[in-house]
Amino acid sequence: MTDTAIGNATAPDLSKLSQLRLGLLWASSLAPLAFVALLLALRWPQYWLWINFEQTPMTSLEVAVMASTAMLALLAGSRAWLYGRPHAQTWWLLAAAFLFFALDDRFALHERLRDRFLAPHGVSVPLLPWVSPGDFVVMLYAAIGLLFLPRVWRMLGAHAGARLRLGLGLAVAVVAVSLDTIDLGLLPVQWQRLEQTIEECLELAAQVLFLQSFLCALIGDVAAAHAQVPAAGSAVGTRAAGVS
């Protein structure tokens, strides 16, 4: 089956598709920003209470963003599979990864692993003396992601906006992971709170950027496919052909 097989009359209005993309990008940027600002304001001066800990509104927001990212990747992979396009398996792997991250955040899986098994037994990374025992699990996630990165980068090659947001998301995630490895016991309490708040906000920013990257790629694939399918005798087909 090809995109043409769904019928020329179903080709979307590409100008509206562009407006949809822009609207979703703005919404996915401003809504989390406003939500975090509200959390900080409602608990001020104890700004960290709804940000730093597990089972807080911040956790719920992060889980929602990552679950949405997983659904976008699942949708993109299913579309690629249905139309015989490449990279379906890559999209599905990304969907599984972000679903796992959402579950990890919701149920504090790596924190439980650290606190119940790794830290009590003093398990650490000898080459990283500043990392407290058990606090290397997130770094392991990051290392696996970096090994998978070239495959994802090639998949997004046709979408400059998707690549840009993926690169920015990776840069922000690296900073967040680096902050996560700091032994907070070495810092005064007020600096611990500030460091954890910054770390959580950076994690959310990276997650939003990954969501937007997948969004750009999916909408870009739809637009590219239909821009090359003129609908004979229809205004939609004329407009699509003009855009291509």
Side-chain angles (χ1 to χ4, degrees), residues 157-207:
H159 310 291
R163 272 192 167 186
L164 173 62
R165 287 168 175 80
L166 178 66
L168 290 174
L170 288 171
V172 174
V174 167
V175 176
V177 169
S178 300
L179 289 176
D180 187 63
T181 63
I182 295 176
D183 188 351
L184 294 180
L186 303 175
L187 301 175
V189 173
Q190 63 270 25
W191 286 104
Q192 291 181 27
R193 293 166 176 166
L194 178 60
E195 190 272 350
Q196 285 185 298
T197 301
I198 293 173
E199 176 196 329
E200 290 296 330
C201 290
L202 288 175
E203 286 181 9
L204 177 62
Q207 293 159 6

Side-chain angles (χ1 to χ4, degrees), residues 21-98:
R21 173 183 178 275
L22 184 61
L24 290 174
L25 289 176
W26 274 109
S28 60
S29 298
L30 296 179
L33 180 62
F35 188 82
V36 172
L38 181 63
L39 296 183
L40 294 171
L42 290 177
R43 298 302 311 203
W44 194 268
Q46 296 176 311
Y47 62 88
W48 64 88
L49 289 181
W50 281 353
I51 302 291
N52 294 0
F53 304 109
E54 302 301 325
Q55 310 307 320
T56 61
M58 185 68 160
T59 300
S60 299
L61 175 60
E62 291 176 335
V63 170
V65 171
M66 287 186 287
S68 298
T69 306
M71 290 302 297
L72 272 177
L74 179 62
L75 180 60
S78 299
R79 181 179 182 277
W81 178 73
L82 285 171
Y83 294 142
R85 300 288 178 79
H87 306 306
Q89 291 81 4
T90 301
W91 279 118
W92 286 337
L93 284 173
L94 286 171
F98 276 91

Side-chain angles (χ1 to χ4, degrees), residues 95-131:
F98 276 91
L99 179 60
F100 171 78
F101 293 148
L103 294 173
D104 180 280
D105 219 16
R106 174 62 182 81
F107 298 106
L109 298 181
H110 78 268
E111 288 88 353
R112 295 176 190 272
L113 177 63
R114 176 195 64 199
D115 296 339
R116 297 184 181 183
F117 300 101
L118 299 177
H121 293 87
V123 180
S124 60
V125 180
L127 297 178
L128 304 174
W130 68 88
V131 180

